[in-house]
């Protein structure tokens, strides 16, 4: 059983992370704060402060003002404002919590109808609040969910900026490089192509002469034809963008005057059923014909685009 695997070797604590978050992951600092409680049946959540208007999109934490940061109340995605401190989806968990999970699972199995899974936030975290077994580590650095193409490009921008601090040699250099750009060693980029800021070029991708790319991710094995423009987009692997084409999405804007502002995760459609402005996405193995324009759209894999589109999803 997974409980036995975790406990093997005398493990006292383990880390649980949601797969859709990115940050600078202060895991050692979280662990240091966690072990100070000197119990094996406690959970420490990483929390951060967001704008009040965005807080209901997340699990909300009401914590004690004392030094131990005990969580007194927790609500997952409340209907109204509860707190500006939200759950970042990163946890340090004591092995004793596994016994509580077992009991919770058995309780859920005995219900009618039975439930054969545990929701960590609702079934464990919310129950631990106010019992002295749940604490918050307040994080003041970078954090974002990655639920939309826009947040993926934003996260890429952050990680590229981190290379400046420790692995600067990985960033591309040259007269036509603008800001932070990462080019895989196997990619071929024409000398006259202008890249950046915030651009990643994947393995075995070919970028032609006169191409302009900014705030975009181009994945492996793509061919970008001469004089094509790619702005605020994600280009799926093995895609072909023929010469003089234009692929462009809408930039995601964050309020520079709000120190706790985070990138929003808007829904794909607005209340009128229209596509919200977002990054343009070309699915894997897409083909964009010469001189074609694709704006603020999502193109699913294996599509051949022979004329221009704007504000659409092509299935």
């Amino acid at each position: 059983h997974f409980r036995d695997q975790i406990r093997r070797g005398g493990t006292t604590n383990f880390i649980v992370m949601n797969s859709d978050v990115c940050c600078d992951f202060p895991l050692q600092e979280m662990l240091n704060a966690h072990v100070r409680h000197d119990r094996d049946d406690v959970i420490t959540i990483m929390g951060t402060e967001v704008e009040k208007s965005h807080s209901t999109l997340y699990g909300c934490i009401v914590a004690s003002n004392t030094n131990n940061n005990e969580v007194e109340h927790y609500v997952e995605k409340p209907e109204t404002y509860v707190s500006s401190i939200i759950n970042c989806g990163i946890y340090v968990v004591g092995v004793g919590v596994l016994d509580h999970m077992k009991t919770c699972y058995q309780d859920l199995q005995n219900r009618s109808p039975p439930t054969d899974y545990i929701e960590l936030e609702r079934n464990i975290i919310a129950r631990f609040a106010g019992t002295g077994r749940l604490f918050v580590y307040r994080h003041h650095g970078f954090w974002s969910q990655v639920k939309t193409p826009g947040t993926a490009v934003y996260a890429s921008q952050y990680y590229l900026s981190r290379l400046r601090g420790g692995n600067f040699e990985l960033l591309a250099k040259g007269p036509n490089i603008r800001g932070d750009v990462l080019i895989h060693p196997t990619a071929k980029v024409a000398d006259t192509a202008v890249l950046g800021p915030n651009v990643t070029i994947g393995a075995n991708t070919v970028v032609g002469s006169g191409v302009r790319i900014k705030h975009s991710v181009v994945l492996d094995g793509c061919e970008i034809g001469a004089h094509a423009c790619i702005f605020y987009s994600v280009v799926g692997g093995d895609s072909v963008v023929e010469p003089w084409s234009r692929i462009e999405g809408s930039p995601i804007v964050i309020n520079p005057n709000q120190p706790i502002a985070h990138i929003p995760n808007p829904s794909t459609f607005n209340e009128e059923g229209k596509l919200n402005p977002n990054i343009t996405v070309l699915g894997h193995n897409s083909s964009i014909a010469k001189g074609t324009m694709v704006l603020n759209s999502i193109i699913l894999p294996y599509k051949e685009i022979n004329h221009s589109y704007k504000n659409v999803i092509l299935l």
Side-chain angles (χ1 to χ4, degrees):
H1 197 279
F2 77 92
R3 290 190 300 271
D4 302 323
Q5 296 295 323
I6 292 173
R7 286 189 165 117
R8 182 172 297 173
T11 299
T12 54
N13 300 289
F14 58 97
I15 293 171
V16 177
M17 292 188 289
N18 291 354
S19 61
D20 62 350
V21 299
C22 66
C23 68
D24 43 12
F25 296 105
L27 302 181
Q28 186 61 58
E29 292 85 348
M30 280 189 69
L31 181 60
N32 293 343
H34 177 82
V35 298
R36 292 191 193 106
H37 304 301
D38 198 27
R39 293 176 57 177
D40 72 351
D41 62 344
V42 300
I43 299 175
T44 299
I45 308 175
M46 192 176 94
T48 194
E49 187 176 3
V50 300
E51 295 172 280
K52 180 177 179 180
S53 59
H54 292 162
S55 64
T56 56
L57 300 174
Y58 309 95
C60 292
I61 298 167
V62 178
S64 168
N65 290 324
T66 62
N67 291 332
N68 69 0
N69 286 314
E70 180 185 348
V71 176
E72 298 176 339
H73 185 53
Y74 180 87
V75 184
E76 182 67 17
K77 297 181 177 65
E79 295 184 3
T80 59
Y81 174 76
V82 172
S83 170
S84 295
I85 305 299
I86 59 100
N87 179 358
C88 293
I90 301 174
Y91 314 88
V92 180
V93 184
V95 292
V97 175
L98 294 172
D99 296 326
H100 294 279
M101 290 183 176
K102 179 180 179 180
T103 301
C104 176
Y105 181 75
Q106 291 171 341
D107 290 343
L108 293 172
Q109 284 281 289
N110 292 329
R111 291 182 181 181
S112 180
T115 301
D116 60 358
Y117 60 89
I118 294 175
E119 292 186 62
L120 179 63
E121 293 84 0
R122 289 184 170 88
N123 299 136
I124 303 296
I125 299 296
R127 292 184 183 186
F128 272 31
T131 68
R133 293 176 296 181
L134 186 63
F135 301 87
V136 60
Y137 172 83
R138 301 188 189 224
H139 179 55
H140 302 288
F142 173 82
W143 176 86
S144 177
Q145 279 190 320
V146 184
K147 289 186 177 294
T148 66
T151 51
V153 172
Y154 178 69
S156 175
Q157 176 178 324
Y158 170 73
Y159 287 124
L160 287 175
S161 72
R162 287 286 298 256
L163 292 178
R164 277 187 263 125
N167 295 291
F168 183 75
E169 68 278 1
L170 296 178
L171 293 174
K173 303 173 184 64
N176 288 330
I177 300 297
R178 309 285 190 263
D180 297 328
V181 175
L182 182 65
I183 302 174
H184 193 276
T186 62
K188 297 179 180 180
V189 179
D191 293 338
T192 55
V194 179
L195 308 183
N198 182 26
V199 169
T200 300
I201 304 295
N204 299 310
T205 285
V206 177
V207 179
S209 61
V211 167
R212 181 69 174 101
I213 304 176
K214 65 179 182 180
H215 295 289
S216 297
V217 176
V218 181
L219 298 176
D220 298 352
C222 294
E223 296 181 24
I224 311 301
H227 305 287
C229 289
I230 302 175
F231 302 153
Y232 302 101
S233 299
V234 176
V235 179
D238 298 319
S239 293
V240 176
V241 178
E242 294 189 6
W244 298 101
S245 297
R246 177 181 170 189
I247 312 299
E248 184 172 353
S250 301
I252 305 298
V253 179
I254 299 177
N255 183 357
N257 300 314
Q258 174 56 268
I260 61 172
H262 288 73
I263 190 166
N265 282 293
S267 61
T268 303
F269 301 98
N270 61 23
E271 294 179 353
E272 299 176 351
K274 296 181 180 179
L275 194 65
N276 276 319
N278 210 321
I279 299 295
T280 285
V281 178
L282 300 185
H284 177 80
N285 211 348
S286 297
S287 177
I288 309 300
K290 182 177 181 180
T292 300
M293 183 181 300
V294 179
L295 302 179
N296 191 43
S297 296
I298 298 174
I299 311 298
L300 268 64
Y302 303 102
K303 297 296 180 186
E304 295 184 5
I305 307 303
N306 296 310
H307 58 272
S308 297
Y309 288 96
K310 179 179 179 181
N311 299 330
V312 298
I313 297 178
L314 289 183
L315 303 178

